[in-house]
Amino acid sequence: MPRGKRTVFGIFCSVTGNRLGTVRFHKQDKMGKAWKEHAEKLTKYCSKCRKKVEVKLKEERHSK
């Protein structure tokens, strides 16, 4: 039984625009934090840049 819908976001490199993966967030968690507050600190390794970069998130779809 689902407790709440989560939204799927695509993770993209902020420098090259290369797709790095996906992540699922609730729109707002129990503590009142929005998904943007969790995504501010997110860094991923980019194979084109060959270093860890800050990422941009784009909403893709709502999971069921």
Side-chain angles (χ1 to χ4, degrees):
M1 191 167 177
R3 296 281 178 187
K5 290 195 179 225
R6 293 188 296 173
T7 305
V8 178
F9 293 92
I11 302 173
F12 296 91
C13 175
S14 60
V15 180
T16 61
N18 188 29
R19 184 183 173 89
L20 302 176
T22 58
V23 68
R24 292 174 185 225
F25 285 121
H26 283 282
K27 287 286 189 175
Q28 194 169 14
D29 67 359
K30 293 178 184 176
M31 305 300 262
K33 281 184 148 186
W35 64 270
K36 287 183 182 180
E37 292 175 300
H38 291 292
E40 286 176 348
K41 311 171 243 187
L42 192 61
T43 60
K44 292 282 279 184
Y45 177 80
C46 178
S47 58
K48 287 187 179 180
C49 299
R50 293 187 175 179
K51 62 181 179 179
K52 278 194 159 189
V53 293
E54 291 185 15
V55 296
K56 291 184 179 178
L57 298 180
K58 292 183 185 174
E59 186 175 337
E60 291 185 336
R61 65 178 185 270
H62 295 278
S63 63
K64 293 182 179 180

